[in-house]
C-alpha cells in the first residue's frame, strides 16, 4: 500500500496549492488537458471522476466524442435548503435562518397588530402587550360580553402567527420569532357564538366586516394613542372575500362612514394629515400592512377581481410605495409550493397531523410583491386534540403548519425591525427598505433582515 499524500501546485501568482487527488484520476485529467488544450479549475477523484474547466464550443464538441467522457454539463449555482436547528433547547426556525431573523433590542412603543382569531396565552409569547376583541365594531367588545366576544379565539391560528413574529428569544424552550420580542396587539375578530373562530382546521374564518373593524381600530389607535408618531405594523393572515379597495387617488374624507365589509387597505396604510373636529388637525402616520397572498395556487393578478388578497384599484401593478405588501410562501428549498390539483397539495402537512388543513399551494403572480418562508413553519399553538385555545389557559405546545398565513408574519416582523433599526417614519419608507434588501431565491424576491 502506498500512502497518497497531498501534492502542491502553484497558482497564477506562484503560491502553492495543496491537492489530495487519486493519482490515476489526476493523470487522466492531465491527459485531457494536454489533448484538448484546457486548464482545470478544479476536479474530483474520490466521489467520482470529474474536472471543472472553461471550455470553448469547439472543445465541448470534441470532448463529447471522447468515449471516456460520460457527461458534459454547465456549472451552475445550486438551490439551497434550510432546516430547523436548536440552540439551548430552543428551536431556531428554518425561516428565521433564511431571512436572517433578529431580536428586538429597542424600547419604543411600536406595535404589530395581529388581526386574526385572538392570540392565546402561551409560555413562549411574552410579547403580547394587549388583547382586544373588535368583532362588534367597538373598542373592546369583550368588555360588554366576554362570553360572546372572547379575547382568545377558539382556533389557534392567531397564536401560531404571533409566534412566527415574536416568540421569545433565549428562554430555552419553544421557538424563536423572526423579530423576537416585538410588541404585539392581538385584535380578535370573531365571536364565540356562531362558530366564526371555532371549528376544525380549514373552517371559515372571521367575517370580512370584522377585519374592517380591526383596521378601523388600528387607524384610531395610531391617530390618537401614538404620541411618538411611530409607524405601526398590521398582519392580516386571512383572505376575505369582497375586499373593495379605495385607491389612493380617490380616498374619502377620513371621518366619513365606510361599509365595514369593504375595508380600505390603502386608506389605512396611507399617512395623512386628518381634520379633527375638536382640535384642528392630527398627523396620522399610517401603518405598514402585510397580508397573505392566499393558498389556492392561482395567479393573484392585480385585476381588482380576486377575493384572495389586497388588490389595487384601478387595475395594475402593486404600488411599491404604498406600504402594503402581499406575501407568497416559499418552501425550505427556496421553491414555491404549487399544485393545480387540490387532492395533491404542495404544502407540507401539519405536525402533529390535522392541526391545519393542508392547502393546495401559494398564490403567485403580479400582485404578490414579496416571498417569505411559509411551509412547515413551527410556532406556538394551543391544544393539540381537539385543536383549540381557551381564555385563561397558558399553553406551551408547538405545531408545524404551512400556508401563506405563516409567510405574511415574516414580512410583518421585517417591517417592524426595519422601522426600529432605521427610524423609518412612513409605511412607504418601510416597504422601500424591504425591497432594497430583497434576497433572490430561485428568481423570487424573498424578504431579508439586514
Amino acid at each position: 500500500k502506498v500512502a497518497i499524500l497531498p501534492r502542491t501546485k502553484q497558482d497564477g501568482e506562484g503560491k502553492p496549492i495543496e491537492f489530495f487527488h487519486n493519482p490515476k484520476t489526476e493523470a487522466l485529467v492531465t491527459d485531457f488537458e494536454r489533448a484538448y488544450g484546457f486548464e482545470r479549475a478544479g476536479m474530483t477523484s474520490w466521489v467520482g471522476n470529474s474536472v471543472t474547466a472553461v471550455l470553448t464550443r469547439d472543445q465541448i464538441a470534441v470532448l463529447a466524442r471522447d468515449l471516456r467522457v460520460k457527461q458534459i454539463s454547465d456549472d451552475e449555482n445550486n438551490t439551497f435548503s434550510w432546516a430547523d436547528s436548536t440552540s439551548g433547547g430552543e428551536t431556531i426556525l428554518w425561516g428565521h435562518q433564511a431571512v436572517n431573523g433578529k431580536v428586538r433590542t429597542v424600547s419604543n412603543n411600536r406595535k404589530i397588530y395581529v388581526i386574526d382569531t385572538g392570540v392565546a396565552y402561551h409560555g413562549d409569547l411574552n410579547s403580547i402587550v394587549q388583547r382586544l376583541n373588535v368583532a362588534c365594531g367597538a373598542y373592546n367588545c369583550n368588555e360588554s360580553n366576554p362570553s360572546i366576544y372572547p379575547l382568545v379565539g377558539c382556533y389557534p391560528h392567531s397564536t401560531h402567527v404571533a409566534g412566527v413574529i415574536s416568540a421569545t428569544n433565549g428562554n430555552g424552550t419553544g421557538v424563536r420569532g423572526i423579530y423576537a420580542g416585538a410588541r404585539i396587539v392581538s385584535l380578535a375578530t370573531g365571536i364565540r357564538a356562531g362558530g366564526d373562530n371555532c371549528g376544525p382546521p380549514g373552517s371559515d374564518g372571521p367575517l370580512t366586516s370584522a377585519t374592517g373593524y380591526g383596521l378601523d381600530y388600528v387607524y384610531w389607535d395610531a391617530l390618537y394613542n401614538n404620541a411618538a408618531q411611530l409607524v405601526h405594523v398590521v398582519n392580516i393572515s386571512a383572505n376575505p372575500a369582497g375586499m373593495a379597495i379605495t385607491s389612493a387617488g380617490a380616498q374619502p374624507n377620513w371621518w366619513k362612514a365606510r361599509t365595514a365589509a369593504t375595508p380600505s387597505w390603502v386608506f389605512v396604510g396611507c399617512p395623512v394629515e386628518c381634520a379633527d373636529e375638536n382640535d384642528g388637525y392630527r398627523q396620522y402616520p399610517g401603518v405598514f400592512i402585510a397580508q397573505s397572498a392566499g393558498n389556492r395556487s392561482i395567479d393573484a393578478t392585480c385585476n381588482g377581481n380576486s377575493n384572495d388578497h389586497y388588490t389595487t384599484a384601478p387595475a395594475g401593478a402593486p404600488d411599491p410605495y404604498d406600504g402594503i405588501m402581499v406575501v407568497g410562501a416559499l418552501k425550505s428549498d427556496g421553491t414555491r409550493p404549487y399544485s393545480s390539483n387540490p387532492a395533491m397539495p404542495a404544502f407540507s402537512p401539519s405536525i402533529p397531523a390535522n392541526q391545519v388543513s393542508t392547502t393546495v399551494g401559494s398564490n403567485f403572480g403580479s400582485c404578490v410583491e414579496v416571498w417569505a418562508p411559509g411551509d412547515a413553519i413551527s410556532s406556538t399553538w394551543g391544544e393539540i386534540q381537539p385543536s383549540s385555545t381557551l381564555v385563561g389557559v397558558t399553553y406551551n405546545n408547538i405545531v408545524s403548519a404551512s400556508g401563506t398565513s405563516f409567510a405574511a408574519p415574516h414580512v410583518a416582523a421585517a417591517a417592524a425591525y426595519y422601522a426600529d433599526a432605521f427610524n423609518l417614519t412612513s409605511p412607504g419608507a418601510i416597504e422601500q427598505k424591504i425591497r432594497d434588501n430583497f434576497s433572490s431565491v430561485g428568481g423570487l424576491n424573498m424578504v431579508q433582515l439586514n
Side-chain angles (χ1 to χ4, degrees):
K1 294 182 179 180
V2 178
I4 300 174
L5 301 176
R7 288 171 297 284
T8 61
K9 179 181 178 180
Q10 290 185 342
D11 66 7
E13 298 179 356
K15 298 176 183 178
I17 304 174
E18 282 197 342
F19 292 95
F20 52 89
H21 293 298
N22 186 306
K24 291 183 179 180
T25 305
E26 197 168 60
L28 177 63
V29 170
T30 299
D31 186 44
F32 274 109
E33 288 177 312
R34 291 170 179 167
Y36 297 113
F38 66 81
E39 182 176 355
R40 80 188 79 170
M43 58 175 286
T44 64
S45 62
W46 303 108
V47 296
N49 299 326
S50 74
V51 60
T52 306
V54 177
L55 302 173
T56 66
R57 292 184 180 274
D58 290 341
Q59 287 171 324
I60 292 173
V62 293
L63 276 166
R65 294 193 291 269
D66 192 311
L67 296 180
R68 296 171 295 176
V69 176
K70 302 299 182 184
Q71 177 181 320
I72 300 175
S73 58
D74 288 334
D75 199 8
E76 59 186 7
N77 290 327
N78 285 295
T79 58
F80 46 84
S81 181
W82 297 276
D84 290 352
S85 62
T86 58
S87 175
E90 183 178 45
T91 297
I92 313 301
L93 307 179
W94 75 261
H96 191 283
Q97 300 170 57
V99 305
N100 192 29
K102 304 293 184 180
V103 177
R104 183 175 181 267
T105 57
V106 299
S107 58
N108 60 33
N109 292 319
R110 196 180 315 279
K111 304 171 184 176
I112 301 177
Y113 303 92
V114 174
I115 301 178
D116 210 296
T117 58
V119 179
Y121 296 86
H122 194 284
D124 210 22
L125 285 176
N126 298 325
S127 55
I128 310 301
V129 297
Q130 191 175 24
R131 288 177 173 85
L132 301 170
N133 188 310
V134 296
C136 70
Y139 162 73
N140 185 7
C141 310
N142 175 265
E143 292 180 350
S144 62
N145 197 329
S147 62
I148 298 298
Y149 300 105
L151 296 179
V152 175
C154 201
Y155 184 46
H157 183 273
S158 184
T159 306
H160 197 281
V161 168
V164 173
I165 294 172
S166 67
T168 305
N169 168 63
N171 60 346
T173 186
V175 298
R176 182 181 301 175
I178 302 305
Y179 189 29
R183 302 169 77 250
I184 287 180
V185 174
S186 169
L187 296 182
T189 55
I191 58 177
R192 184 72 63 178
D196 283 330
N197 285 344
C198 302
S203 61
D204 290 338
L207 295 172
T208 303
S209 58
T211 301
Y213 302 151
L215 289 170
D216 218 45
Y217 173 84
V218 168
Y219 195 118
W220 171 81
D221 195 38
L223 183 63
Y224 284 98
N225 300 306
N226 189 9
Q229 287 290 294
L230 297 170
V231 178
H232 298 313
V233 177
V234 170
N235 187 92
I236 304 175
S237 287
N239 303 98
M243 288 194 286
I245 303 305
T246 303
S247 69
Q251 292 180 23
N253 292 328
W254 79 276
W255 60 85
K256 286 185 178 179
R258 301 193 306 278
T259 304
T262 56
S264 170
W265 268 228
V266 169
F267 187 73
V268 175
C270 180
V272 65
E273 190 175 46
C274 306
D276 187 294
E277 59 187 19
N278 296 318
D279 57 359
Y281 290 89
R282 287 177 179 269
Q283 180 64 38
Y284 171 67
V287 297
F288 177 94
I289 300 175
Q291 198 223 327
S292 55
N295 303 316
R296 296 196 293 157
S297 282
I298 62 172
D299 186 345
T301 55
C302 292
N303 56 16
N305 297 320
S306 172
N307 66 353
D308 270 344
H309 52 81
Y310 159 81
T311 56
T312 57
D319 183 347
Y321 301 101
D322 64 1
I324 305 166
M325 301 190 80
V326 177
V327 188
L330 293 174
K331 302 180 77 170
S332 62
D333 61 359
T335 61
R336 171 173 63 87
Y338 173 77
S339 172
S340 59
N341 184 355
M344 301 180 65
F347 278 117
S348 300
S350 57
I351 302 174
N354 302 320
Q355 303 302 303
V356 177
S357 60
T358 305
T359 47
V360 180
S362 176
N363 286 353
F364 56 94
S366 60
C367 211
V368 179
E369 302 172 75
V370 59
W371 296 81
D375 185 74
I377 303 299
S378 296
S379 188
T380 47
W381 201 252
E383 290 289 345
I384 300 298
Q385 294 295 341
S387 183
S388 62
T389 49
L390 297 171
V391 178
V393 178
T394 299
Y395 300 94
N396 291 289
N397 291 323
I398 302 295
V399 161
S400 172
S402 302
T404 59
S405 282
F406 313 122
H410 285 73
V411 177
Y417 163 72
Y418 279 127
D420 284 343
F422 296 93
N423 194 30
L424 302 179
T425 57
S426 74
I430 294 173
E431 178 170 356
Q432 197 58 48
K433 180 63 72 171
I434 291 174
R435 289 178 177 274
D436 289 345
N437 288 279
F438 277 157
S439 174
S440 181
V441 178
L444 301 174
N445 291 323
M446 186 179 74
V447 65
Q448 189 78 191
L449 285 66
N450 290 321

